[in-house]
């Protein structure tokens, strides 16, 4: 109920803002609502697949979710409603379909219903994205993104001050019941959760939206406002006390700024690599070993967290060695473990490690889709960065290619130690960025 009340208030606030604008264009409101709704994960259960585990990162439940709610609502107002498909413009969707078919016919897939949940989840978002791209201009999409990110930045910063800075813990479970638990990481150390359920999710979302703001700055779009929101986002991220996020944030922001400030930049030039890599490494070394933050990295519970992840990674690698080619099925690795427990557990592994997804998204992809899916993933990441960098050099529309670089780096690096990038509160934003970046890379704002 809190989520619905909140989204209605946001809708009214943005609608009032638009009525005071000269053009009174309400179309960007759809994009703003999407950006703000992603962390809330507003959904209504339709059908739950019977399982012995949470199965994967996207659960085992078919939901009437936010993108479908927004899609069917928007049909009342938009003229263009057709859903077309062709290979040239939908290579990502086709790759997902092919990998899903392989997973569904995979004899080692212990819960094909969970794989169908993945397909349903992904394409519910693509349907909405198609509606947006057919009915909104590049400038309208930009306005919607900026308004949504700006509003969320202010709200998240305010909530981060409330907790952990002022220790008003009541704000941590307003939107997610688990927020109160994960805001203290089971009592080990506190961290801001904002409107998310975990500090890591808030940190990653903040990184991804900050790279958008920095991309705006590099493109000369709302430069002063963007700097302001970057500063408050930095404060929010700091209050999550997420070590991985600190380092990932530095790498992502540094990369976006360096590429955005160096037109005709050759990614593989030795000179540019030295200009880029050496300062970045020096900054990272200073942050870890010599800055006021060094205690967080060296004297806190970092060893215990590394040991815990090592158990998870070892379990994942063992699972990969059993089925290396095509894995055990998308969104179903926990079900395989639950039904083959004797292969992994002699009674000494705590239940946490087989009831929660493996804390490494690349290892999850390797386990669930095998070498085939993992190769597709790595190629896709590399091509996204290379193509985005080329688009920046072309100079037609730097904003979305730059944002793609920042988001892919954030997603990839943070995913080395957690599964938050593949969660329902983060994955939709990643899909949004890579979808619209490919569609709008030649559009001029």
């Amino acid at each position: 109920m809190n989520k619905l009340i909140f989204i209605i208030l946001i809708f009214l606030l943005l609608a009032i803002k638009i009525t005071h604008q000269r053009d009174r264009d309400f179309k960007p409101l759809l994009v703003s609502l999407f950006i703000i709704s992603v962390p809330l994960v507003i959904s209504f259960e339709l059908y739950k697949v019977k399982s012995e585990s949470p199965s994967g990162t996207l659960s085992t439940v078919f939901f009437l979710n936010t993108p479908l709610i927004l899609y069917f609502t928007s049909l009342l107002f938009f003229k263009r409603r057709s859903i077309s498909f062709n290979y040239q413009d939908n290579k990502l969707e086709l790759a997902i379909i092919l990998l899903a078919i392989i997973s569904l016919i995979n004899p080692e897939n212990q819960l094909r219903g969970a794989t169908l949940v993945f397909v349903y989840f992904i394409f519910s978002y693509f349907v909405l994205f198609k509606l947006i791209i057919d009915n909104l201009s590049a400038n309208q999409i930009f306005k919607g993104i900026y308004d949504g990110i700006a509003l969320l930045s202010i709200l998240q910063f305010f909530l981060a001050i409330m907790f952990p800075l002022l220790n008003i813990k009541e704000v941590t479970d307003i939107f997610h019941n688990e927020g109160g638990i994960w805001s203290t990481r089971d009592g080990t150390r506190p961290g801001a959760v904002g409107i998310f359920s975990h500090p890591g999710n808030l940190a990653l979302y903040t990184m991804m939206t900050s790279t958008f703001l920095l991309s705006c700055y590099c493109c000369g779009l709302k430069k002063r406002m963007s700097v302001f929101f970057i500063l408050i986002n930095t404060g929010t991220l700091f209050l999550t006390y997420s070590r991985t996020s600190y380092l990932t944030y530095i790498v992502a922001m540094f990369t976006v700024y360096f590429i955005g400030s160096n037109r005709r930049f050759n990614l593989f030039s030795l000179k540019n690599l030295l200009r880029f890599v050496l300062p970045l490494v020096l900054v990272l070394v200073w942050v870890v070993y010599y800055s006021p933050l060094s205690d967080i990295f060296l004297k806190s519970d970092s060893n215990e967290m590394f040991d815990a992840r090592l158990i998870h990674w070892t379990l994942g690698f063992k699972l990969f060695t059993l089925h290396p080619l095509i894995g055990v099925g998308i969104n179903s690795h926990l079900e395989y473990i639950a039904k083959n427990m004797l292969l992994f557990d002699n009674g000494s592994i705590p239940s946490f490690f087989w009831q929660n997804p493996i804390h490494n998204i690349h290892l999850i992809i390797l386990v669930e889709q095998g070498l085939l899916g993992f190769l597709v993933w790595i190629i896709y990441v590399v091509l996204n960065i290379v193509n985005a960098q080329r688009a920046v050099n072309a100079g037609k529309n730097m904003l979305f290619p730059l944002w793609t670089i920042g988001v892919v780096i954030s997603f990839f690096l943070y995913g080395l130690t957690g599964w938050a990038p593949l969660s329902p509160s983060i994955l939709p934003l990643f899909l949004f960025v890579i979808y619209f970046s490919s569609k709008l890379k030649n559009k001029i704002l």
Side-chain angles (χ1 to χ4, degrees):
M1 183 59 69
N2 288 342
K3 296 180 184 180
L4 290 175
I5 293 173
F6 173 72
I7 204 70
I8 291 171
L9 290 175
I10 291 296
F11 173 82
L12 292 174
L13 180 63
L14 290 172
I16 292 171
K17 175 181 178 293
I18 292 171
T19 57
H20 286 81
Q21 294 175 348
R22 183 177 299 178
D23 57 5
R24 293 187 178 182
D25 184 5
F26 282 88
K27 284 186 176 181
L29 181 57
L30 172 60
V31 180
S32 298
L33 288 175
F34 168 79
I35 294 292
I36 294 168
S37 68
V38 170
L40 295 173
V41 195
I42 299 174
S43 55
F44 304 92
E45 183 175 325
L46 299 175
Y47 177 76
K48 181 177 176 60
V49 179
K50 293 182 180 180
S51 64
E52 298 179 17
S53 72
S55 189
T57 63
L58 296 179
S59 82
T60 59
V61 181
F62 290 91
F63 289 106
L64 174 61
N65 53 14
T66 303
L68 291 180
I69 295 170
L70 291 175
Y71 174 78
F72 288 119
T73 304
S74 300
L75 287 178
L76 301 173
F77 305 98
F78 292 153
K79 295 180 180 179
R80 299 181 63 182
R81 305 174 184 177
S82 62
I83 299 295
S84 59
F85 183 89
N86 63 75
Y87 168 76
Q88 191 62 33
D89 293 335
N90 299 278
K91 294 178 182 177
L92 174 60
E93 292 92 323
L94 185 59
I96 292 173
I97 290 172
L98 291 175
L99 290 172
I101 291 173
I102 292 172
S103 284
L104 289 171
I105 63 176
N106 182 354
E108 302 302 332
N109 190 337
Q110 304 292 311
L111 196 65
R112 291 177 175 82
T115 302
L116 291 175
V117 167
F118 163 83
V119 175
Y120 171 82
F121 179 90
I122 296 295
F123 282 93
S124 65
Y125 284 94
F126 283 141
V127 167
L128 175 64
F129 297 163
K130 176 63 175 173
L131 184 74
I132 292 173
I133 204 71
D134 282 349
N135 290 278
L136 274 70
S137 67
N139 199 47
Q140 288 172 321
I141 293 171
F142 166 72
K143 287 180 179 178
I145 295 170
Y146 203 100
D147 286 348
I149 288 177
L151 192 57
L152 260 189
S153 297
I154 294 171
L155 175 64
Q156 305 278 29
F157 183 63
F158 173 75
L159 290 173
I161 290 175
M162 299 286 282
F163 185 88
L165 207 58
L166 299 180
N167 202 32
I168 304 175
K169 198 167 185 301
E170 288 76 11
V171 302
T172 61
D173 56 8
I174 295 176
F175 302 104
H176 298 281
N177 294 332
E178 322 91 85
I181 299 172
W182 288 113
S183 62
T184 62
R185 294 178 174 89
D186 285 334
T188 56
R189 53 195 167 94
V193 294
I195 62 175
F196 289 86
S197 61
H198 193 284
N201 295 55
L202 171 59
L204 179 55
Y205 194 87
T206 303
M207 280 188 279
M208 294 167 75
T209 54
S210 293
T211 57
F212 170 79
L213 296 165
L214 183 56
S215 300
C216 291
Y217 177 85
C218 292
C219 295
L221 300 168
K222 301 187 177 184
K223 293 184 70 171
R224 290 185 179 179
M225 286 182 63
S226 297
V227 170
F228 168 74
F229 289 122
I230 288 171
L231 290 175
I232 65 173
N233 275 357
T234 303
T236 300
L237 186 134
F238 173 76
L239 291 171
T240 64
Y241 300 120
S242 171
R243 291 172 293 241
T244 305
S245 300
Y246 292 167
L247 302 181
T248 302
Y249 187 63
I250 293 170
V251 174
M253 296 292 277
F254 191 90
T255 304
V256 169
Y257 182 76
F258 189 87
I259 294 177
S261 302
N262 293 272
R263 311 291 173 85
R264 307 298 176 185
F265 168 72
N266 183 355
L267 190 64
F268 302 104
S269 162
L270 179 60
K271 177 183 176 182
N272 282 327
L273 282 175
L274 289 175
R275 287 173 58 205
F276 169 70
V277 174
L278 185 59
L280 179 58
V281 169
L282 291 175
V283 170
L284 293 175
V285 170
W286 178 80
V287 168
V288 174
Y289 291 100
Y290 303 106
S291 75
L293 298 175
S294 61
D295 283 356
I296 296 177
F297 293 94
L298 304 176
K299 297 181 181 180
S300 61
D301 62 342
S302 56
N303 289 334
E304 291 84 350
M305 292 298 100
F306 177 78
D307 291 340
R309 281 171 171 79
L310 192 59
I311 295 174
H312 237 160
W313 299 341
T314 302
L315 187 151
F317 275 116
K318 182 171 182 179
L319 183 51
F320 162 68
T321 58
L322 293 173
H323 307 288
L325 186 57
I326 58 174
V328 298
I330 298 175
N331 194 39
S332 61
H333 73 278
L334 293 178
E335 188 70 9
Y336 185 94
I337 295 172
K339 290 182 176 178
N340 298 273
M341 188 63 66
L342 294 178
L343 294 174
F344 307 97
D345 187 14
N346 59 6
S348 62
I349 300 178
S351 61
F352 172 86
F353 295 100
W354 48 269
Q355 291 180 349
N356 289 274
I358 296 169
H359 279 49
N360 184 315
I361 65 165
H362 314 293
L363 190 51
I364 289 176
I365 293 171
L366 188 63
V367 164
E368 293 188 344
Q369 302 174 47
L371 287 171
L372 178 63
F374 184 74
L375 184 61
V376 171
W377 166 241
I378 296 300
I379 291 173
Y380 186 77
V381 167
V382 172
L383 287 179
N384 259 284
I385 293 179
V386 171
N387 290 337
Q389 194 262 327
R390 288 175 179 170
V392 170
N393 287 348
K396 290 184 179 179
N397 177 8
M398 286 173 46
L399 176 63
F400 284 96
L402 273 179
W403 192 19
T404 298
I405 292 170
V407 164
V408 169
I409 290 173
S410 301
F411 199 87
F412 190 92
L413 293 182
Y414 188 88
L416 291 170
T417 61
W419 64 273
L422 296 180
S423 69
S425 63
I426 296 293
L427 182 57
L429 182 61
F430 178 79
L431 296 174
F432 178 90
V433 175
I434 58 176
Y435 181 92
F436 285 98
S437 180
S438 66
K439 306 297 183 185
L440 302 176
K441 62 183 178 183
N442 294 320
K443 304 290 184 179
I444 298 176
L445 295 175

